[in-house]
Amino acid sequence: MKVKVYTGFLLLALLSCNTIEKRTEALKAIDWSNKEVNISETDSLTYGKSYLSVYSQIYSYTENTALDLTATVSIRNTSDAEPIYLLKAAYFDTQGNEIHSYVNHPIALEKMETLEIVIAELDKKGGTGANFIFEWGKKEATATPLFEAVMISTYGQQGLSFTTQGKRIE
């Protein structure tokens, strides 16, 4: 009799929970082929490189317990007059190994355009020290692109979120 009561209580508790089903299938590749451009040496562009830290995991309680996070990487053209060009968007893990390259051919971001890369919560390859390197080009008077990441996770009734901002390194 007790087993039936506990089973019924457990079933009722599970049905009343408002949970989000976590999907486990592989993410589709980002198709930016319609944004590809050819850049010639006569385009007179200024080139730069930016670093962005991204956390696919963070430690909780101790270094033996990690929480998995979803990261949204935002690539923003802050110019309201000119396009910018993204030449490289490479994702690295904590040990510095390249996990994935998102740009294989230069792409243009039109004025005020934003592109996004989502690192799924289930994707733990980056670890606690994941990061991106972006290489870009712009006309001299054009604003420098902005690179940001928003990391988020929810566990039951608790939520966690924070942001990071890219830093120009060249």
Side-chain angles (χ1 to χ4, degrees):
M1 180 69 168
K2 285 185 180 182
V3 174
K4 288 182 183 179
V5 172
Y6 290 131
T7 306
F9 180 75
L10 179 61
L11 182 61
L12 180 62
L14 288 174
L15 291 175
S16 66
C17 289
N18 186 12
T19 59
I20 298 172
E21 181 182 327
K22 294 183 180 180
R23 298 167 24 143
T24 57
E25 72 267 11
L27 297 176
K28 294 179 182 174
I30 299 173
D31 182 9
W32 289 332
S33 59
N34 64 328
K35 307 192 84 30
E36 291 180 358
V37 294
N38 290 317
I39 298 174
S40 71
E41 292 181 22
T42 60
D43 287 337
S44 301
L45 298 177
T46 300
Y47 294 93
K49 185 185 281 189
S50 296
Y51 170 89
L52 176 68
S53 57
V54 176
Y55 299 84
S56 27
Q57 294 181 311
I58 58 170
Y59 294 116
S60 178
Y61 304 110
T62 71
E63 69 277 0
N64 297 318
T65 306
L67 299 175
D68 301 328
L69 304 170
T70 299
T72 302
V73 174
S74 183
I75 305 161
R76 297 174 181 263
N77 179 359
T78 61
S79 172
D80 62 357
E82 296 289 338
I84 61 166
Y85 305 97
L86 189 61
L87 311 173
K88 178 179 181 177
Y91 181 45
F92 296 86
D93 67 14
T94 303
Q95 291 74 37
N97 301 308
E98 186 172 328
I99 296 171
H100 189 71
S101 176
Y102 289 89
V103 175
N104 298 318
H105 192 81
I107 61 173
L109 278 81
E110 297 305 321
K111 58 184 182 179
M112 303 303 294
E113 184 176 10
T114 300
L115 297 179
E116 295 174 337
I117 298 170
V118 176
I119 308 298
E121 182 176 330
L122 296 172
D123 185 345
K124 301 176 187 183
K125 291 184 292 260
T128 58
N131 56 78
F132 274 83
I133 292 289
F134 299 100
E135 293 180 9
W136 44 268
K138 66 180 189 73
K139 290 185 177 177
E140 184 69 37
T142 304
T144 301
L146 179 64
F147 303 96
E148 296 177 310
V150 177
M151 279 64 61
I152 187 168
S153 187
T154 56
Y155 293 94
Q157 298 287 327
Q158 301 295 314
L160 169 71
S161 65
F162 59 97
T163 63
T164 58
Q165 196 164 70
K167 178 179 179 171
R168 185 172 181 173
I169 56 175
E170 282 183 20

